[in-house]
Amino acid sequence: MTDVTDTLYLTVQHPRPDLAIAAVVGEVDMHTAETLRRDASMIIERGRPHLVLDLSQVGFCDSAGLSALIGLWHAAQAVGGALGLANVPDRLMRMLVLTGVDTILPVHATTSEAVNTMIADEPTSVGPQGSVDRVSTTGGAGAPAGGGRTACDSARHPSANLS
């Protein structure tokens, strides 16, 4: 029997004033997809139009999760930003490729690669050390939950080999 959880955790780092890295922990499904869409959209709307989602700790993603990712891509594009996916688990990578979504959502092996790609055309000077926010939300209700679960973007997973 599979445990179903309505909890989705985000750990958000702000390495630059216009860029955020959000490590996503949990399952992105019909119970949590709207929470991811809402919380990540708030990051974009609060002046960080460039967003990297570190998906290394996403155990499952269904069509609702895929829809949320596409919606976030549109939200970033609407404000002149970009969405990049990093550390995508093999199962999710296969889903992106089979649906063709990998042709519109940039997928990177690491968060560093995603960040470097996003800032390649911008000046390389970076301000003071960025900040880190830890956000724990519960799918559905969306109220912040207690708990100190965090994710980090240092785990490195090679991109899926689909051959």
Side-chain angles (χ1 to χ4, degrees), residues 6 42 49 53 71 74-75 78 86 90 95 108 119 128 137 145:
D6 288 347
M42 284 184 0
L53 294 179
H74 283 290
D90 291 347
M95 183 178 176
H108 305 277
I119 64 174
T137 58

Side-chain angles (χ1 to χ4, degrees), residues 81-143:
L83 175 71
L85 308 180
N87 298 319
V88 178
D90 291 347
R91 177 182 269 176
L92 178 52
M93 188 66 211
R94 284 191 296 274
M95 183 178 176
L96 295 173
V97 170
L98 288 172
T99 59
V101 173
D102 68 317
T103 62
I104 61 165
L105 291 178
V107 178
H108 305 277
T110 66
T111 55
S112 296
E113 179 184 301
V115 168
N116 289 338
T117 300
M118 281 188 182
I119 64 174
D121 294 329
E122 297 180 9
T124 57
S125 64
V126 178
Q129 180 70 9
S131 60
V132 176
D133 298 329
R134 287 178 178 76
V135 179
S136 301
T137 58
T138 303

